Structures are given as C-alpha cells and as structure tokens.
Amino acid sequence: MTTSTTILPVLKQGSKAYFDSMGGPIPCTIEKITTEQPDDLRPGSFQQVTAIVTEDGRAYRKGQTLTGWGLHFFPRAALGRGQHTLYIKPYRVQA
C-alpha cells in the first residue's frame, strides 16, 4: 500500500494571494491575519484578513486595502483551472 502526503498551500502574512470576488480572483498581498482560534488552520469566518491589491482590474485598484474573512482570500497556489472554470483547491491559514 502506498500513501502520499499532499502539502496544502498556506495563506499567511506577506504571501501573495487572491481575493475571491464575484468577478474573478483579484491579486493581492496579505498584510495581516488575526484569529480567535490560532490552533485551527482551516479557513473560516473567525479569521480577519487585511490585504493590499497588487494589480488594477475590474472594480479594484492597485494599492487598495481589502478586509474580509479567511474564506475570502486564498493562496495563489490554491487556484485551480478547469476547462471552462476556475476553482479553489484546499488550503490552510496561518495567523
């Protein structure tokens, strides 16, 4: 029997990420993550994330500050691409 260990991408302070918007992923850099449950690495509403937009596009401008839950942001390595769709792969959050 073989086993494989998959290392999940990590959303953490200083990392490049995407903001999950209705118009598609918005590139940003994570400035700060605070949480009420530091031992829980799953993305959730108990994490408060602050990020800076890194590229102009759609309704967002470079340098704009975004704030949301851990579920609203994801590491760039967690972006999956299907034939006609984008999807978010599993990831962890490190506060």
Side-chain angles (χ1 to χ4, degrees):
M1 179 169 137
T2 61
T3 59
S4 64
T5 303
T6 303
I7 299 175
L8 297 177
V10 178
L11 182 71
K12 60 185 176 181
Q13 185 174 339
S15 65
K16 293 184 179 195
Y18 288 113
F19 173 69
D20 186 17
S21 79
M22 294 295 288
I26 305 298
C28 60
T29 301
I30 303 301
E31 292 293 310
K32 182 177 164 183
I33 301 174
T34 57
T35 183
E36 298 170 5
Q37 302 173 14
D39 295 334
D40 194 345
L41 300 176
R42 297 172 299 167
S45 59
F46 52 86
Q47 296 142 343
Q48 187 69 29
V49 179
T50 303
I52 305 296
V53 175
T54 57
E55 294 178 21
D56 284 338
R58 298 179 286 282
Y60 300 91
R61 297 289 167 243
K62 184 175 182 177
Q64 181 178 351
T65 300
L66 302 174
T67 303
W69 295 336
L71 293 169
H72 293 146
F73 298 88
F74 60 95
R76 292 194 183 175
L79 180 64
R81 298 178 188 276
Q83 186 174 6
H84 299 288
T85 187
L86 299 174
Y87 59 92
I88 302 170
K89 301 175 195 174
Y91 64 96
R92 297 181 306 134
V93 177
Q94 179 182 331

mmCIF file of all heavy atoms in Angstrom, residues 7-49:
data_model
loop_
_atom_site.group_PDB
_atom_site.id
_atom_site.type_symbol
_atom_site.label_atom_id
_atom_site.label_comp_id
_atom_site.label_asym_id
_atom_site.label_seq_id
_atom_site.Cartn_x
_atom_site.Cartn_y
_atom_site.Cartn_z
ATOM 1 N N ILE A 7 0.916 18.445 0.544
ATOM 2 C CA ILE A 7 1.126 19.634 1.352
ATOM 3 C C ILE A 7 0.215 20.724 0.805
ATOM 4 O O ILE A 7 0.319 21.103 -0.356
ATOM 5 C CB ILE A 7 2.602 20.069 1.325
ATOM 6 C CG1 ILE A 7 3.463 18.959 1.901
ATOM 7 C CG2 ILE A 7 2.784 21.363 2.083
ATOM 8 C CD1 ILE A 7 4.942 19.213 1.808
ATOM 9 N N LEU A 8 -0.668 21.195 1.654
ATOM 10 C CA LEU A 8 -1.615 22.221 1.227
ATOM 11 C C LEU A 8 -0.948 23.582 1.191
ATOM 12 O O LEU A 8 -0.111 23.897 2.038
ATOM 13 C CB LEU A 8 -2.799 22.276 2.200
ATOM 14 C CG LEU A 8 -3.663 21.030 2.288
ATOM 15 C CD1 LEU A 8 -4.738 21.219 3.357
ATOM 16 C CD2 LEU A 8 -4.298 20.718 0.959
ATOM 17 N N PRO A 9 -1.320 24.423 0.223
ATOM 18 C CA PRO A 9 -0.823 25.799 0.210
ATOM 19 C C PRO A 9 -1.259 26.520 1.488
ATOM 20 O O PRO A 9 -2.300 26.204 2.063
ATOM 21 C CB PRO A 9 -1.492 26.423 -1.012
ATOM 22 C CG PRO A 9 -2.016 25.293 -1.824
ATOM 23 C CD PRO A 9 -2.220 24.148 -0.886
ATOM 24 N N VAL A 10 -0.454 27.503 1.922
ATOM 25 C CA VAL A 10 -0.727 28.212 3.166
ATOM 26 C C VAL A 10 -0.942 29.698 2.894
ATOM 27 O O VAL A 10 -0.134 30.339 2.230
ATOM 28 C CB VAL A 10 0.436 28.037 4.170
ATOM 29 C CG1 VAL A 10 0.176 28.810 5.444
ATOM 30 C CG2 VAL A 10 0.671 26.567 4.462
ATOM 31 N N LEU A 11 -2.022 30.231 3.439
ATOM 32 C CA LEU A 11 -2.288 31.664 3.408
ATOM 33 C C LEU A 11 -1.687 32.241 4.683
ATOM 34 O O LEU A 11 -2.060 31.840 5.779
ATOM 35 C CB LEU A 11 -3.799 31.927 3.379
ATOM 36 C CG LEU A 11 -4.228 33.382 3.291
ATOM 37 C CD1 LEU A 11 -3.910 33.935 1.902
ATOM 38 C CD2 LEU A 11 -5.712 33.512 3.582
ATOM 39 N N LYS A 12 -0.701 33.134 4.541
ATOM 40 C CA LYS A 12 -0.053 33.718 5.716
ATOM 41 C C LYS A 12 0.372 35.147 5.420
ATOM 42 O O LYS A 12 0.379 35.574 4.262
ATOM 43 C CB LYS A 12 1.140 32.878 6.157
ATOM 44 C CG LYS A 12 2.214 32.739 5.108
ATOM 45 C CD LYS A 12 3.302 31.795 5.578
ATOM 46 C CE LYS A 12 4.314 31.588 4.468
ATOM 47 N NZ LYS A 12 5.365 30.661 4.856
ATOM 48 N N GLN A 13 0.733 35.866 6.457
ATOM 49 C CA GLN A 13 1.148 37.257 6.321
ATOM 50 C C GLN A 13 2.334 37.358 5.368
ATOM 51 O O GLN A 13 3.274 36.579 5.442
ATOM 52 C CB GLN A 13 1.531 37.824 7.680
ATOM 53 C CG GLN A 13 1.870 39.289 7.646
ATOM 54 C CD GLN A 13 2.105 39.852 9.043
ATOM 55 O OE1 GLN A 13 1.648 39.283 10.029
ATOM 56 N NE2 GLN A 13 2.813 40.953 9.106
ATOM 57 N N GLY A 14 2.266 38.313 4.446
ATOM 58 C CA GLY A 14 3.341 38.529 3.479
ATOM 59 C C GLY A 14 3.233 37.693 2.212
ATOM 60 O O GLY A 14 3.971 37.913 1.261
ATOM 61 N N SER A 15 2.303 36.735 2.167
ATOM 62 C CA SER A 15 2.199 35.871 0.992
ATOM 63 C C SER A 15 1.346 36.505 -0.099
ATOM 64 O O SER A 15 0.502 37.359 0.149
ATOM 65 C CB SER A 15 1.614 34.504 1.380
ATOM 66 O OG SER A 15 0.285 34.628 1.820
ATOM 67 N N LYS A 16 1.602 36.069 -1.332
ATOM 68 C CA LYS A 16 0.792 36.507 -2.469
ATOM 69 C C LYS A 16 -0.461 35.648 -2.484
ATOM 70 O O LYS A 16 -0.396 34.448 -2.255
ATOM 71 C CB LYS A 16 1.572 36.364 -3.763
ATOM 72 C CG LYS A 16 2.742 37.303 -3.819
ATOM 73 C CD LYS A 16 3.461 37.226 -5.136
ATOM 74 C CE LYS A 16 4.611 38.216 -5.111
ATOM 75 N NZ LYS A 16 5.126 38.466 -6.425
ATOM 76 N N ALA A 17 -1.586 36.293 -2.742
ATOM 77 C CA ALA A 17 -2.863 35.596 -2.661
ATOM 78 C C ALA A 17 -3.838 36.181 -3.668
ATOM 79 O O ALA A 17 -3.485 37.061 -4.457
ATOM 80 C CB ALA A 17 -3.416 35.732 -1.246
ATOM 81 N N TYR A 18 -5.050 35.661 -3.629
ATOM 82 C CA TYR A 18 -6.155 36.202 -4.406
ATOM 83 C C TYR A 18 -7.312 36.500 -3.456
ATOM 84 O O TYR A 18 -7.524 35.789 -2.473
ATOM 85 C CB TYR A 18 -6.659 35.206 -5.451
ATOM 86 C CG TYR A 18 -5.739 34.992 -6.616
ATOM 87 C CD1 TYR A 18 -5.105 33.770 -6.806
ATOM 88 C CD2 TYR A 18 -5.520 35.997 -7.552
ATOM 89 C CE1 TYR A 18 -4.271 33.555 -7.893
ATOM 90 C CE2 TYR A 18 -4.687 35.788 -8.645
ATOM 91 C CZ TYR A 18 -4.069 34.566 -8.805
ATOM 92 O OH TYR A 18 -3.248 34.368 -9.879
ATOM 93 N N PHE A 19 -8.063 37.556 -3.783
ATOM 94 C CA PHE A 19 -9.332 37.839 -3.132
ATOM 95 C C PHE A 19 -10.401 37.217 -4.010
ATOM 96 O O PHE A 19 -10.415 37.418 -5.222
ATOM 97 C CB PHE A 19 -9.533 39.355 -3.010
ATOM 98 C CG PHE A 19 -10.884 39.743 -2.493
ATOM 99 C CD1 PHE A 19 -11.250 39.489 -1.183
ATOM 100 C CD2 PHE A 19 -11.793 40.379 -3.326
ATOM 101 C CE1 PHE A 19 -12.502 39.849 -0.705
ATOM 102 C CE2 PHE A 19 -13.047 40.758 -2.865
ATOM 103 C CZ PHE A 19 -13.395 40.484 -1.551
ATOM 104 N N ASP A 20 -11.295 36.452 -3.422
ATOM 105 C CA ASP A 20 -12.343 35.762 -4.166
ATOM 106 C C ASP A 20 -13.518 36.711 -4.397
ATOM 107 O O ASP A 20 -14.377 36.868 -3.545
ATOM 108 C CB ASP A 20 -12.793 34.526 -3.380
ATOM 109 C CG ASP A 20 -13.774 33.661 -4.141
ATOM 110 O OD1 ASP A 20 -13.872 33.819 -5.377
ATOM 111 O OD2 ASP A 20 -14.436 32.827 -3.501
ATOM 112 N N SER A 21 -13.533 37.373 -5.553
ATOM 113 C CA SER A 21 -14.602 38.323 -5.868
ATOM 114 C C SER A 21 -15.590 37.702 -6.848
ATOM 115 O O SER A 21 -15.297 36.693 -7.486
ATOM 116 C CB SER A 21 -14.019 39.608 -6.467
ATOM 117 O OG SER A 21 -13.692 39.414 -7.822
ATOM 118 N N MET A 22 -16.740 38.324 -6.977
ATOM 119 C CA MET A 22 -17.762 37.829 -7.910
ATOM 120 C C MET A 22 -17.280 37.896 -9.360
ATOM 121 O O MET A 22 -17.718 37.122 -10.196
ATOM 122 C CB MET A 22 -19.050 38.647 -7.757
ATOM 123 C CG MET A 22 -19.725 38.478 -6.416
ATOM 124 S SD MET A 22 -20.321 36.808 -6.150
ATOM 125 C CE MET A 22 -21.694 36.772 -7.274
ATOM 126 N N GLY A 23 -16.354 38.808 -9.647
ATOM 127 C CA GLY A 23 -15.844 38.965 -11.000
ATOM 128 C C GLY A 23 -14.600 38.135 -11.287
ATOM 129 O O GLY A 23 -14.013 38.238 -12.349
ATOM 130 N N GLY A 24 -14.182 37.321 -10.349
ATOM 131 C CA GLY A 24 -12.986 36.506 -10.510
ATOM 132 C C GLY A 24 -11.941 36.871 -9.471
ATOM 133 O O GLY A 24 -12.103 37.829 -8.720
ATOM 134 N N PRO A 25 -10.848 36.100 -9.422
ATOM 135 C CA PRO A 25 -9.820 36.328 -8.404
ATOM 136 C C PRO A 25 -9.078 37.648 -8.607
ATOM 137 O O PRO A 25 -8.706 37.995 -9.722
ATOM 138 C CB PRO A 25 -8.881 35.135 -8.548
ATOM 139 C CG PRO A 25 -9.220 34.482 -9.832
ATOM 140 C CD PRO A 25 -10.560 34.947 -10.257
ATOM 141 N N ILE A 26 -8.878 38.385 -7.509
ATOM 142 C CA ILE A 26 -8.169 39.666 -7.524
ATOM 143 C C ILE A 26 -6.811 39.472 -6.862
ATOM 144 O O ILE A 26 -6.750 39.086 -5.690
ATOM 145 C CB ILE A 26 -8.964 40.745 -6.745
ATOM 146 C CG1 ILE A 26 -10.396 40.872 -7.284
ATOM 147 C CG2 ILE A 26 -8.231 42.071 -6.747
ATOM 148 C CD1 ILE A 26 -10.507 41.292 -8.718
ATOM 149 N N PRO A 27 -5.679 39.705 -7.579
ATOM 150 C CA PRO A 27 -4.357 39.518 -6.990
ATOM 151 C C PRO A 27 -4.100 40.498 -5.846
ATOM 152 O O PRO A 27 -4.420 41.688 -5.950
ATOM 153 C CB PRO A 27 -3.388 39.781 -8.138
ATOM 154 C CG PRO A 27 -4.203 39.919 -9.367
ATOM 155 C CD PRO A 27 -5.615 40.134 -8.969
ATOM 156 N N CYS A 28 -3.530 39.994 -4.760
ATOM 157 C CA CYS A 28 -3.232 40.839 -3.606
ATOM 158 C C CYS A 28 -2.083 40.239 -2.801
ATOM 159 O O CYS A 28 -1.635 39.132 -3.075
ATOM 160 C CB CYS A 28 -4.470 40.998 -2.720
ATOM 161 S SG CYS A 28 -5.117 39.458 -2.066
ATOM 162 N N THR A 29 -1.619 41.001 -1.833
ATOM 163 C CA THR A 29 -0.614 40.543 -0.883
ATOM 164 C C THR A 29 -1.216 40.641 0.512
ATOM 165 O O THR A 29 -1.803 41.661 0.860
ATOM 166 C CB THR A 29 0.663 41.414 -0.958
ATOM 167 O OG1 THR A 29 1.175 41.350 -2.286
ATOM 168 C CG2 THR A 29 1.721 40.929 0.010
ATOM 169 N N ILE A 30 -1.063 39.592 1.302
ATOM 170 C CA ILE A 30 -1.639 39.547 2.639
ATOM 171 C C ILE A 30 -0.792 40.394 3.585
ATOM 172 O O ILE A 30 0.409 40.184 3.720
ATOM 173 C CB ILE A 30 -1.725 38.095 3.168
ATOM 174 C CG1 ILE A 30 -2.540 37.226 2.213
ATOM 175 C CG2 ILE A 30 -2.298 38.065 4.582
ATOM 176 C CD1 ILE A 30 -3.957 37.680 1.983
ATOM 177 N N GLU A 31 -1.432 41.366 4.222
ATOM 178 C CA GLU A 31 -0.763 42.258 5.175
ATOM 179 C C GLU A 31 -0.867 41.738 6.605
ATOM 180 O O GLU A 31 0.068 41.850 7.373
ATOM 181 C CB GLU A 31 -1.364 43.665 5.104
ATOM 182 C CG GLU A 31 -1.075 44.388 3.805
ATOM 183 C CD GLU A 31 0.388 44.719 3.646
ATOM 184 O OE1 GLU A 31 0.975 45.291 4.577
ATOM 185 O OE2 GLU A 31 0.948 44.399 2.583
ATOM 186 N N LYS A 32 -2.036 41.206 6.960
ATOM 187 C CA LYS A 32 -2.266 40.829 8.353
ATOM 188 C C LYS A 32 -3.381 39.791 8.439
ATOM 189 O O LYS A 32 -4.369 39.877 7.711
ATOM 190 C CB LYS A 32 -2.658 42.078 9.137
ATOM 191 C CG LYS A 32 -2.901 41.904 10.596
ATOM 192 C CD LYS A 32 -3.208 43.271 11.201
ATOM 193 C CE LYS A 32 -3.836 43.164 12.560
ATOM 194 N NZ LYS A 32 -4.203 44.467 13.103
ATOM 195 N N ILE A 33 -3.204 38.817 9.335
ATOM 196 C CA ILE A 33 -4.248 37.843 9.634
ATOM 197 C C ILE A 33 -4.386 37.759 11.149
ATOM 198 O O ILE A 33 -3.407 37.522 11.850
ATOM 199 C CB ILE A 33 -3.917 36.437 9.078
ATOM 200 C CG1 ILE A 33 -3.732 36.474 7.568
ATOM 201 C CG2 ILE A 33 -5.011 35.440 9.468
ATOM 202 C CD1 ILE A 33 -3.270 35.163 6.961
ATOM 203 N N THR A 34 -5.584 37.975 11.641
ATOM 204 C CA THR A 34 -5.856 37.798 13.068
ATOM 205 C C THR A 34 -6.937 36.739 13.207
ATOM 206 O O THR A 34 -7.767 36.563 12.313
ATOM 207 C CB THR A 34 -6.311 39.109 13.733
ATOM 208 O OG1 THR A 34 -7.459 39.596 13.058
ATOM 209 C CG2 THR A 34 -5.221 40.162 13.698
ATOM 210 N N THR A 35 -6.911 36.025 14.317
ATOM 211 C CA THR A 35 -7.868 34.939 14.509
ATOM 212 C C THR A 35 -8.228 34.778 15.974
ATOM 213 O O THR A 35 -7.439 35.100 16.859
ATOM 214 C CB THR A 35 -7.312 33.612 13.956
ATOM 215 O OG1 THR A 35 -8.307 32.587 14.094
ATOM 216 C CG2 THR A 35 -6.045 33.193 14.668
ATOM 217 N N GLU A 36 -9.420 34.257 16.198
ATOM 218 C CA GLU A 36 -9.881 33.927 17.537
ATOM 219 C C GLU A 36 -9.469 32.508 17.908
ATOM 220 O O GLU A 36 -9.511 32.135 19.069
ATOM 221 C CB GLU A 36 -11.403 34.048 17.613
ATOM 222 C CG GLU A 36 -11.914 35.440 17.344
ATOM 223 C CD GLU A 36 -13.428 35.476 17.175
ATOM 224 O OE1 GLU A 36 -14.081 34.427 17.361
ATOM 225 O OE2 GLU A 36 -13.944 36.548 16.856
ATOM 226 N N GLN A 37 -9.098 31.705 16.908
ATOM 227 C CA GLN A 37 -8.753 30.297 17.124
ATOM 228 C C GLN A 37 -7.420 29.990 16.450
ATOM 229 O O GLN A 37 -7.373 29.406 15.376
ATOM 230 C CB GLN A 37 -9.854 29.405 16.551
ATOM 231 C CG GLN A 37 -11.216 29.669 17.160
ATOM 232 C CD GLN A 37 -12.316 28.891 16.460
ATOM 233 O OE1 GLN A 37 -12.059 27.970 15.705
ATOM 234 N NE2 GLN A 37 -13.545 29.268 16.709
ATOM 235 N N PRO A 38 -6.290 30.352 17.076
ATOM 236 C CA PRO A 38 -4.986 30.208 16.424
ATOM 237 C C PRO A 38 -4.576 28.766 16.105
ATOM 238 O O PRO A 38 -3.755 28.545 15.225
ATOM 239 C CB PRO A 38 -4.010 30.843 17.415
ATOM 240 C CG PRO A 38 -4.731 30.891 18.709
ATOM 241 C CD PRO A 38 -6.188 30.927 18.399
ATOM 242 N N ASP A 39 -5.164 27.786 16.778
ATOM 243 C CA ASP A 39 -4.796 26.391 16.512
ATOM 244 C C ASP A 39 -5.557 25.783 15.344
ATOM 245 O O ASP A 39 -5.217 24.706 14.873
ATOM 246 C CB ASP A 39 -5.033 25.539 17.765
ATOM 247 C CG ASP A 39 -4.112 25.937 18.912
ATOM 248 O OD1 ASP A 39 -3.013 26.464 18.637
ATOM 249 O OD2 ASP A 39 -4.499 25.730 20.064
ATOM 250 N N ASP A 40 -6.598 26.463 14.878
ATOM 251 C CA ASP A 40 -7.408 25.957 13.776
ATOM 252 C C ASP A 40 -6.883 26.529 12.466
ATOM 253 O O ASP A 40 -6.950 27.728 12.228
ATOM 254 C CB ASP A 40 -8.869 26.348 13.981
ATOM 255 C CG ASP A 40 -9.817 25.586 13.067
ATOM 256 O OD1 ASP A 40 -9.342 24.980 12.086
ATOM 257 O OD2 ASP A 40 -11.033 25.604 13.326
ATOM 258 N N LEU A 41 -6.322 25.678 11.598
ATOM 259 C CA LEU A 41 -5.707 26.126 10.348
ATOM 260 C C LEU A 41 -6.677 26.137 9.166
ATOM 261 O O LEU A 41 -6.299 26.498 8.060
ATOM 262 C CB LEU A 41 -4.505 25.241 10.022
ATOM 263 C CG LEU A 41 -3.386 25.229 11.070
ATOM 264 C CD1 LEU A 41 -2.301 24.239 10.684
ATOM 265 C CD2 LEU A 41 -2.811 26.603 11.256
ATOM 266 N N ARG A 42 -7.923 25.750 9.405
ATOM 267 C CA ARG A 42 -8.902 25.767 8.318
ATOM 268 C C ARG A 42 -9.365 27.200 8.061
ATOM 269 O O ARG A 42 -9.528 27.978 8.999
ATOM 270 C CB ARG A 42 -10.121 24.913 8.690
ATOM 271 C CG ARG A 42 -9.785 23.452 8.888
ATOM 272 C CD ARG A 42 -10.970 22.709 9.434
ATOM 273 N NE ARG A 42 -11.324 23.289 10.732
ATOM 274 C CZ ARG A 42 -12.453 23.040 11.367
ATOM 275 N NH1 ARG A 42 -13.352 22.238 10.843
ATOM 276 N NH2 ARG A 42 -12.709 23.596 12.536
ATOM 277 N N PRO A 43 -9.597 27.571 6.790
ATOM 278 C CA PRO A 43 -10.118 28.909 6.513
ATOM 279 C C PRO A 43 -11.513 29.055 7.101
ATOM 280 O O PRO A 43 -12.314 28.124 7.039
ATOM 281 C CB PRO A 43 -10.159 28.985 4.993
ATOM 282 C CG PRO A 43 -9.635 27.711 4.470
ATOM 283 C CD PRO A 43 -9.377 26.787 5.599
ATOM 284 N N GLY A 44 -11.799 30.226 7.696
ATOM 285 C CA GLY A 44 -13.119 30.410 8.286
ATOM 286 C C GLY A 44 -13.442 31.857 8.576
ATOM 287 O O GLY A 44 -12.627 32.760 8.375
ATOM 288 N N SER A 45 -14.646 32.055 9.104
ATOM 289 C CA SER A 45 -15.094 33.404 9.418
ATOM 290 C C SER A 45 -14.497 33.917 10.718
ATOM 291 O O SER A 45 -14.676 35.075 11.060
ATOM 292 C CB SER A 45 -16.618 33.436 9.487
ATOM 293 O OG SER A 45 -17.080 32.546 10.475
ATOM 294 N N PHE A 46 -13.771 33.080 11.449
ATOM 295 C CA PHE A 46 -13.126 33.503 12.691
ATOM 296 C C PHE A 46 -11.769 34.159 12.431
ATOM 297 O O PHE A 46 -11.104 34.609 13.348
ATOM 298 C CB PHE A 46 -12.975 32.321 13.656
ATOM 299 C CG PHE A 46 -12.325 31.113 13.046
ATOM 300 C CD1 PHE A 46 -10.948 30.988 13.016
ATOM 301 C CD2 PHE A 46 -13.101 30.119 12.488
ATOM 302 C CE1 PHE A 46 -10.347 29.884 12.432
ATOM 303 C CE2 PHE A 46 -12.508 28.996 11.911
ATOM 304 C CZ PHE A 46 -11.131 28.881 11.879
ATOM 305 N N GLN A 47 -11.350 34.227 11.174
ATOM 306 C CA GLN A 47 -10.100 34.888 10.806
ATOM 307 C C GLN A 47 -10.417 36.203 10.106
ATOM 308 O O GLN A 47 -11.272 36.250 9.231
ATOM 309 C CB GLN A 47 -9.276 34.009 9.855
ATOM 310 C CG GLN A 47 -8.824 32.728 10.485
ATOM 311 C CD GLN A 47 -8.880 31.570 9.520
ATOM 312 O OE1 GLN A 47 -9.526 31.633 8.494
ATOM 313 N NE2 GLN A 47 -8.219 30.497 9.881
ATOM 314 N N GLN A 48 -9.727 37.250 10.491
ATOM 315 C CA GLN A 48 -9.867 38.560 9.854
ATOM 316 C C GLN A 48 -8.597 38.808 9.043
ATOM 317 O O GLN A 48 -7.500 38.768 9.590
ATOM 318 C CB GLN A 48 -10.055 39.654 10.901
ATOM 319 C CG GLN A 48 -10.365 40.998 10.335
ATOM 320 C CD GLN A 48 -11.751 41.077 9.708
ATOM 321 O OE1 GLN A 48 -12.679 40.381 10.089
ATOM 322 N NE2 GLN A 48 -11.894 41.930 8.721
ATOM 323 N N VAL A 49 -8.744 39.041 7.745
ATOM 324 C CA VAL A 49 -7.599 39.210 6.848
ATOM 325 C C VAL A 49 -7.609 40.623 6.259
ATOM 326 O O VAL A 49 -8.652 41.124 5.850
ATOM 327 C CB VAL A 49 -7.635 38.167 5.703
ATOM 328 C CG1 VAL A 49 -6.462 38.361 4.760
ATOM 329 C CG2 VAL A 49 -7.657 36.756 6.264
#
